[in-house]
Amino acid sequence: MAASPLICPSILASDFARLGQEVAAIEAAGADWVHVDVMDGHFVPNLTMGPDIVKALRPHTRLPFDVHLMVAPVDPWLEAYRNAGADVLTVHPESGPHLHRTLGRIRQLGAKAGVVFNPSTPLSILEEVVDLVDLVLIMSVNPGFGGQGFIPSALTKIARARTILDRAGSSATLQVDGGVTAANAGACVAAGADALVAGTAVFKGGETAYAANIAAIRSACAAATPGAGA
């Protein structure tokens, strides 16, 4: 795990009236991935962007698109988002009856497969599919809306997920999403995370502030000791 994790700004917090410019701006500001939150108003209490929006954004950046599918049932949407330009497709165990099959299908489509754990979702599920995941996402808020506060108990869950991945010899990325700021980013990395989703913390202050906001998160992580939260 690198002391400087992947920074994955969530465009849920961006200016929707200028999404193309926003993804280009975060690339110029030093982001590593673009995190795309897809919500269906059913699985989570919010409604966001469909595959056509992802497709429209694809020409505006060379960064990987990390698409978090908060939809149920999820299987009918995998191919559409992959064709739209998703590089990573991350799904919830609760969003379909056969997680193993879903993860296999994502890889079949040529994307990296991710699994998401809500605050109440047991990590025992990870042990059953660890050989099929390229990314594990620990939610540090209940999904559905941006701007929520970080749930401190997520740090313990990050550390436990790191232990499961290391024990299995997995090279999967361990990502954290929800209320991530410069104030808690270091603790996330210390617990074992190597990718951080940040929305408000990146997009606050407008385009001229993006580079400084990303740099502040990286700086906060620099002194973190991976594994310290285990």
Side-chain angles (χ1 to χ4, degrees):
M1 293 165 294
S4 180
L6 297 171
I7 305 298
C8 317
S10 168
I11 59 172
L12 185 64
S14 70
D15 181 351
F16 275 26
R18 52 191 302 275
L19 274 176
Q21 298 99 305
E22 290 281 66
V23 296
I26 58 173
E27 178 176 8
D32 298 297
W33 292 358
V34 176
H35 187 82
V36 182
D37 287 304
V38 176
M39 306 179 188
D40 65 357
H42 166 69
F43 185 68
V44 292
N46 198 357
L47 189 65
T48 58
M49 56 202 76
D52 284 349
I53 294 178
V54 175
K55 183 178 180 180
L57 291 176
R58 186 64 278 182
H60 290 269
T61 179
R62 296 165 297 175
L63 296 181
F65 276 6
D66 164 29
V67 177
H68 175 189
L69 293 171
M70 289 167 272
V71 303
V74 72
D75 288 353
W77 292 102
L78 300 176
E79 189 168 357
Y81 280 96
R82 172 59 177 157
N83 290 343
D87 299 284
V88 183
L89 288 167
T90 309
V91 300
H92 290 253
E94 300 90 346
S95 65
H98 304 292
L99 178 61
H100 191 280
R101 179 183 296 162
T102 299
L103 294 170
R105 177 59 177 155
I106 292 170
R107 283 183 161 185
Q108 210 174 45
L109 290 168
K112 290 185 177 181
V115 63
V116 193
F117 292 87
N118 286 341
S120 64
T121 305
L123 279 176
S124 57
I125 293 170
L126 176 58
E127 296 177 313
E128 305 299 331
V129 296
V130 69
D131 58 323
L132 283 175
V133 296
D134 304 293
L135 181 142
V136 175
L137 172 53
I138 303 298
M139 292 301 298
S140 42
V141 298
N142 287 292
F145 294 95
Q148 299 183 68
F150 185 90
I151 297 173
S153 61
L155 294 172
T156 301
K157 198 163 192 173
I158 296 164
R160 288 167 51 216
R162 171 52 60 195
T163 297
I164 293 170
L165 293 174
D166 290 350
R167 187 184 296 134
S170 173
S171 60
T173 299
L174 181 53
Q175 187 180 61
V176 184
D177 180 8
V180 174
T181 66
N184 55 40
C188 291
V189 169
D194 45 27
L196 303 174
V197 177
T200 304
V202 168
F203 287 99
K204 66 182 180 182
E207 186 175 334
T208 58
Y210 296 169
N213 292 342
I214 290 172
I217 295 171
R218 290 198 192 281
S219 177
C221 295
T225 303

